[in-house]
Amino acid sequence: QDEFDAKVHYQLAEGQTLNLLFGDLDGSRLGATFRSEKKTENVLKLWNTKTGREQTLTDSKAWIFGATLSAEGELLAVECCESDKGLDAQIRVYRTTDMQLLASYPSTIHNIVRLRFSNDGKRLAIATGKPDQIVFWNFETSDSIVTKTQWDRGATIAFSGDDARLFAINPGPRGY
């Protein structure tokens, strides 16, 4: 019988709910966001699955709606808002080794649906709704390009291996 050696174990506190679970490509990092029952605390936890090391990002003023890791797990992008309505969204990029904030995208984006790092970790694709658009943001230079698109909230996005293209898979009636 194979033995499973769990390096990560987390017990939800009473009244705490799991909102989002995510990881990097090789499975060496696992992340999750949690919210308290009274919606007064928002926590993001990040684990190194090989060592079990846990890091915590807590911001009681920011609602964490989404998060993604770069392919190598060295960068973390977080979608957060100052309210639970998601209308004043901001993207923050952190270095995972020490959770240092590296960059913030201005809160001019509304209804963020998906976040995805390019494979080289230099750009972030931000898919939004209302208006339907995809923002390509180079957070190292602060340059961004906005494209208009038709897109449903259930869609997902991924960069091609060479980062030359962004693919969108749309399960809705306008599937592409």
Side-chain angles (χ1 to χ4, degrees), residues 19-169:
N19 290 339
L20 178 68
L21 191 62
F22 58 95
D24 63 1
L25 287 178
D26 70 359
S28 64
R29 295 206 192 272
L30 175 68
T33 62
F34 306 93
R35 185 173 296 149
S36 66
E37 184 177 34
K38 295 181 180 180
K39 299 181 180 179
T40 57
E41 182 183 41
N42 296 283
V43 175
L44 184 142
K45 291 196 175 284
L46 188 62
W47 293 274
N48 180 318
T49 59
K50 294 176 182 172
T51 65
R53 180 176 177 236
E54 176 183 305
Q55 296 168 281
T56 302
L57 179 66
T58 304
D59 188 343
S60 60
K61 295 181 183 176
W63 292 80
I64 300 170
F65 283 95
T68 190
L69 287 163
S70 63
E72 301 297 321
E74 297 170 355
L75 300 171
L76 168 68
V78 176
E79 172 203 355
C80 52
C81 301
E82 296 300 318
S83 73
D84 64 349
K85 305 291 186 232
L87 299 176
D88 55 349
Q90 183 180 53
I91 307 298
R92 297 178 185 163
V93 176
Y94 297 89
R95 184 174 47 222
T96 58
T97 54
D98 57 6
M99 299 304 263
Q100 179 180 347
L101 179 64
L102 300 177
S104 293
Y105 193 84
S107 58
T108 57
I109 299 175
H110 301 292
N111 298 315
I112 296 169
V113 180
R114 295 282 184 269
L115 299 172
R116 188 72 63 219
F117 276 104
S118 59
N119 296 306
D120 64 8
K122 294 181 181 177
R123 289 173 292 150
L124 192 64
I126 307 163
T128 71
K130 297 179 184 173
D132 294 339
Q133 63 186 14
I134 297 177
V135 177
F136 294 93
W137 175 41
N138 182 327
F139 58 88
E140 292 177 339
T141 65
S142 296
D143 293 333
S144 62
I145 299 170
V146 178
T147 64
K148 301 288 182 191
T149 184
Q150 289 193 9
W151 141 282
D152 289 325
R153 290 187 70 80
T156 191
I157 56 177
F159 279 92
S160 61
D162 62 0
D163 287 335
R165 293 179 180 84
L166 183 77
F167 298 105
I169 300 171

